[in-house]
Amino acid sequence: MLIREAQPEDWQEIWPIVRAIVRRGDTYGYEPAMGEEQARSLWMELPRVVFVAEEDGDLLGTYYLKTNQAGPGQHVCNCGYMVAEKARGRGLATAMCEHSQRAAVDLGYRAMQFNFVASSNEGAVRLWRRLGFDEVGRLPRAFRHPEKGFVDALVMYKWLNA
Amino acid sequence: MLIREAQPEDWQEIWPIVRAIVRRGDTYGYEPAMGEEQARSLWMELPRVVFVAEEDGDLLGTYYLKTNQAGPGQHVCNCGYMVAEKARGRGLATAMCEHSQRAAVDLGYRAMQFNFVASSNEGAVRLWRRLGFDEVGRLPRAFRHPEKGFVDALVMYKWLNA
């Protein structure tokens, strides 16, 4: 598996991955009905850098990296990761998260923050913990899950080793 | 004192207030050297609504209100408040924060979140606590203060009474 910077023409393979996850509405702070153009702008243009995980010419996952707060907060980055349904359970999220931490250090960041992890997304919470992220915040009922209703959202944070 | 919705032509009085606070770099997650056009876009266009506090035709303060996370997070808003130097100590931040909570409820929000409160900004932290906000997160060394160096940033949160 190769993790490389996304090119504009990768979007046609990225969009089905993003669309499936956004439509479910149970993990990300995106509008579930979001259209393709807005998704492209949010995922491909707004971040500082976007990567894809590729295997035999297939895109299996993608992540973005961006500055979380400007000015006095610009040493902390934020990332979001998405894995194609068919590639679940193969360690892609782990590989992308580890890759993103190295990329962040290379770009001069000192820490990484996840702003809005649904507490109901237990697999993700467990994974980020295993990768060294601490739960530094808990937002009461900040995430409205499509089946579970209001659940807490977590803020997770890791100071990066340069 | 009147708190009313900002009009585009208010910007010429809002900008000196925003500029002074942004340049100091000790309270907001904005680039301290930010230019006027970027500031105008961030303060006047990006938010859902912007208010000003006016007295005898003078603008003494301003705040924005926006959705903090889309989709599953869209019931939680975020606000930022700024008070002109000459109007400090007169309760404007309290008045604007109370006003913003009513405005948020009117717009259908259920909670309000401050994402990035410098822990060194003790007056603000004390004020938000007094107004019912809980410290729900602490981001270690996430705020680089111009004199104090890395300090923690707080996430503060309040469920609103409809």
Side-chain angles (χ1 to χ4, degrees):
Chain A
M1 192 188 58
L2 169 73
I3 297 179
R4 60 163 176 83
E5 257 195 74
Q7 303 301 316
E9 58 269 27
D10 291 323
W11 174 247
Q12 59 184 43
E13 285 191 80
I14 294 174
W15 171 229
I17 300 173
V18 170
R19 183 180 52 203
I21 289 169
V22 165
R23 292 283 183 268
R24 283 209 313 274
D26 58 356
T27 51
Y28 271 82
Y30 294 134
E31 172 55 42
M34 182 161 60
E36 177 171 358
E37 192 40 48
Q38 195 194 355
R40 200 188 58 74
S41 169
L42 278 174
W43 198 267
M44 300 292 281
E45 288 175 3
L46 197 75
R48 180 155 174 193
V49 62
V50 182
F51 288 88
V52 290
E54 185 184 50
E55 192 177 65
D56 300 331
D58 252 7
L59 289 198
L60 301 179
T62 178
Y63 79 85
Y64 72 77
L65 187 158
K66 63 174 185 246
T67 303
N68 202 43
Q69 296 280 353
Q74 67 182 0
H75 58 290
V76 183
C77 68
N78 164 251
C79 288
Y81 313 85
M82 292 191 178
V83 175
E85 188 65 48
K86 65 179 175 188
R88 296 289 174 87
R90 291 176 43 193
L92 256 84
T94 298
M96 289 197 292
C97 184
E98 288 175 339
H99 186 277
S100 71
Q101 293 179 49
R102 292 190 297 272
V105 169
D106 289 347
L107 288 165
Y109 293 102
R110 309 289 298 274
M112 186 178 289
Q113 180 174 330
F114 304 146
N115 297 305
F116 197 57
V117 182
S119 58
S120 48
N121 192 359
E122 291 170 14
V125 174
R126 200 161 42 231
L127 179 58
W128 306 145
R129 283 214 180 102
R130 187 163 63 70
L131 293 172
F133 288 78
D134 293 319
E135 178 186 322
V136 297
R138 177 174 281 260
L139 314 170
R141 308 170 75 201
F143 194 100
R144 191 169 205 160
H145 189 281
E147 288 98 37
K148 296 172 184 171
F150 291 120
V151 300
D152 295 350
L154 308 181
V155 183
M156 304 192 74
Y157 190 91
K158 180 178 183 177
W159 197 263
L160 302 171
N161 297 311
Chain B
M1 193 186 60
L2 169 74
I3 297 179
R4 61 164 175 83
E5 256 196 72
Q7 303 302 315
E9 58 270 26
D10 291 324
W11 174 248
Q12 59 183 38
E13 286 191 79
I14 295 174
W15 170 229
I17 300 173
V18 171
R19 183 179 55 204
I21 290 168
V22 165
R23 292 283 183 267
R24 284 208 313 275
D26 58 356
T27 50
Y28 271 83
Y30 294 134
E31 172 56 42
M34 183 162 58
E36 177 172 357
E37 192 39 48
Q38 195 193 354
R40 199 188 58 74
S41 169
L42 278 174
W43 198 267
M44 301 291 281
E45 287 175 5
L46 197 74
R48 180 155 174 193
V49 62
V50 183
F51 288 87
V52 290
E54 185 184 49
E55 193 177 65
D56 300 331
D58 252 8
L59 289 198
L60 301 180
T62 178
Y63 80 86
Y64 72 77
L65 186 157
K66 63 175 186 244
T67 303
N68 202 44
Q69 298 279 353
Q74 68 182 1
H75 59 291
V76 183
C77 68
N78 165 251
C79 289
Y81 313 85
M82 292 193 177
V83 175
E85 187 65 49
K86 64 180 174 188
R88 297 287 174 88
R90 292 177 43 194
L92 257 84
T94 298
M96 289 196 293
C97 184
E98 288 175 339
H99 187 277
S100 71
Q101 293 177 51
R102 291 189 298 272
V105 169
D106 288 347
L107 288 164
Y109 294 103
R110 309 287 300 271
M112 186 178 290
Q113 180 173 331
F114 304 146
N115 297 306
F116 197 57
V117 182
S119 58
S120 49
N121 192 359
E122 291 169 16
V125 174
R126 200 162 41 231
L127 179 57
W128 306 145
R129 283 214 181 102
R130 188 163 62 71
L131 294 172
F133 288 79
D134 293 320
E135 178 187 322
V136 296
R138 177 173 282 261
L139 314 170
R141 306 170 76 200
F143 194 101
R144 191 169 205 160
H145 189 281
E147 286 98 38
K148 296 172 184 172
F150 291 120
V151 299
D152 295 350
L154 308 183
V155 182
M156 303 191 76
Y157 191 91
K158 180 178 183 176
W159 196 264
L160 301 172
N161 298 311

